[in-house]
Amino acid sequence: MSLGQRLAQLAVSLQEPQRVASFQRLCGVEAPLGSPAADKDAETEVRGAAGDPRRRGPQSGAERNPSPAKPDCCGAPNGVRNGLAADPGPAGPRRAGSLRRNSLTGEEGEPVIVNNWPLYYLFCFGTELGNELFYIFFFPFWIWNLDPFVGRRLVIIWVLVMYLGQCTKDIIRWPRPASPPVVKLEVFYNSEYSMPSTHAMSGTAIPISLVLLTYGRWQYPLVYGLVLIPCWTSLVCISRVYMGMHSILDVIAGFLYTILILLILYPLVDLIDSFNQTYKHAPLIIIGFHLVLGILSFTLDTWSTSRGDTAEILGSGAGIACGSHAAQQLGLLFDPPLHTLPLAIPPLTVTLLGKAILRVVIGMVCVLIVRDIMKKIAIPLSCKLFSIPCDDIRQARQHMEVELPYRYLTYGMVGFSTTLLIPYIFSFIGIS
């Protein structure tokens, strides 16, 4: 057998949903009796005992996921829609009920039994490191409290890595691991395709970039960074398998894809950031470039949550870049002179901690207000401009003419406020 054949066989093996299900059982996740996943596990065990050859070798594509690909922009997700399990009866404290609900598709999680709660909460935390709630806190925190220089560059890398990952999903179009046998602990991203895992890409890009951008700029032992990278990356990657959202192959591909992107992209980050800060017409180019990327991504496939997420990512990146440009021109943004590097980490005092907490509280309140106002303006305005019925917001948002401007404008203003409006407020009240 040639090396190529062996690699192909390994890839097929790593894509098997049964491997995901086995890992979930190892971590204490079970489907309640009577649910489709539990019935599938029992059927598989019976076949294995009878010497069924499918028990011992990789399954065919149809056996891996018998569900069809998503049929249209308003239909079911991509063939791995969760079926609600039958009533499992009392499961005591081990039962975790229907988990996160997808407000855009109406899909709900299936009841599951969790036997290892520490692992459950650990992997829930790991998967949140790739969700909107984390991003909307993490990047502003760096810009407001730690180092705007690092924060801006982190956003540049994150935007490009996530954009390439989301577009690659819609080009390859591989479905999520089949359920059953996999138990879906999360359904919010179930309408998206699976390959590669963008959670794994984000969980790889952020810690590696963080260490590359801060080491030598700040004084700290390199060993801290070398410990942070594998811990962060492995936690995010493993959590996606635990949640039943990705195969092992998906997360490995996401990790390797990110390394390749960073090798090409990272040497250009300084040039991109300098252009954003100093070029006179940079805001026009930034807005236009990110908008074109958004339009291209919306033409790759039918509707899924990945399209809105892509527009949200691009809007955030454009808003932060434009806000940074304006802040630089107005003198609100200062990077320390090169001769002062590396920067010493200041001692933690009550005053320093109090100002940091105050900036976070005031800043996040402003971010949430801006986001809420823009949501209430952008969706009805888009529906009116393009003559799309706005009675059902969920259906309206599945049109590109609504989803793209809504996400792009809303999160563009959030990003702009993060780097211009809110730092101005900090300066005005004396906590800059």
Side-chain angles (χ1 to χ4, degrees), residues 106-311:
E107 190 176 7
E108 294 184 355
E110 59 191 37
V112 298
I113 293 175
V114 175
N115 295 309
N116 191 324
W117 286 103
L119 278 182
Y120 171 77
Y121 288 118
L122 175 66
F123 290 131
C124 281
F125 172 75
T127 205
E128 285 300 324
L129 292 178
N131 289 341
E132 179 187 351
L133 180 62
F134 168 73
Y135 296 138
I136 208 168
F137 178 83
F138 178 77
F139 293 125
F141 186 84
W142 267 96
I143 293 170
W144 299 335
N145 283 324
L146 299 176
D147 193 339
F149 176 92
V150 173
R152 294 193 310 267
R153 284 161 167 75
L154 270 176
V155 170
I156 291 171
I157 294 170
W158 172 72
V159 168
L160 292 177
V161 166
M162 292 296 289
Y163 176 78
L164 291 172
Q166 296 282 32
C167 289
T168 303
K169 279 185 177 183
D170 285 341
I171 292 172
I172 297 178
R173 303 183 184 182
W174 283 8
R176 296 281 184 182
S179 175
V182 174
V183 178
K184 299 289 185 178
L185 286 160
E186 177 189 300
V187 296
F188 190 79
Y189 298 105
N190 204 34
S191 63
E192 298 180 14
Y193 291 115
S194 185
M195 169 63 79
S197 166
T198 46
H199 267 77
M201 294 181 70
S202 171
T204 302
I206 290 178
I208 292 178
S209 302
L210 201 57
V211 174
L212 291 174
L213 290 168
T214 57
Y215 186 70
R217 178 175 175 83
W218 288 87
Q219 298 177 18
Y220 68 88
L222 180 59
V223 67
Y224 290 175
L226 297 180
V227 170
L228 173 70
I229 292 172
C231 289
W232 187 321
T233 301
S234 59
L235 177 60
V236 175
C237 291
I238 295 173
S239 72
R240 301 312 288 162
V241 179
Y242 177 89
M243 291 289 173
M245 298 306 293
H246 285 287
S247 67
I248 298 172
L249 183 63
D250 293 340
V251 296
I252 293 175
F255 171 79
L256 296 177
Y257 191 23
T258 305
I259 298 299
L260 177 62
I261 294 172
L262 288 178
L263 288 173
I264 299 171
L265 172 65
Y266 186 77
L268 304 176
V269 170
D270 186 65
L271 178 65
I272 295 172
D273 187 56
S274 297
F275 172 83
N276 292 344
Q277 296 295 299
T278 59
Y279 186 63
K280 182 179 179 180
H281 303 294
L284 294 177
I285 296 174
I286 291 166
I287 293 171
F289 178 69
H290 286 75
L291 185 58
V292 168
L293 291 180
I295 294 172
L296 290 175
S297 71
F298 270 65
T299 61
L300 290 176
D301 195 44
T302 55
W303 183 87
S304 74
T305 52
S306 67
R307 298 206 318 183
D309 289 344
T310 303

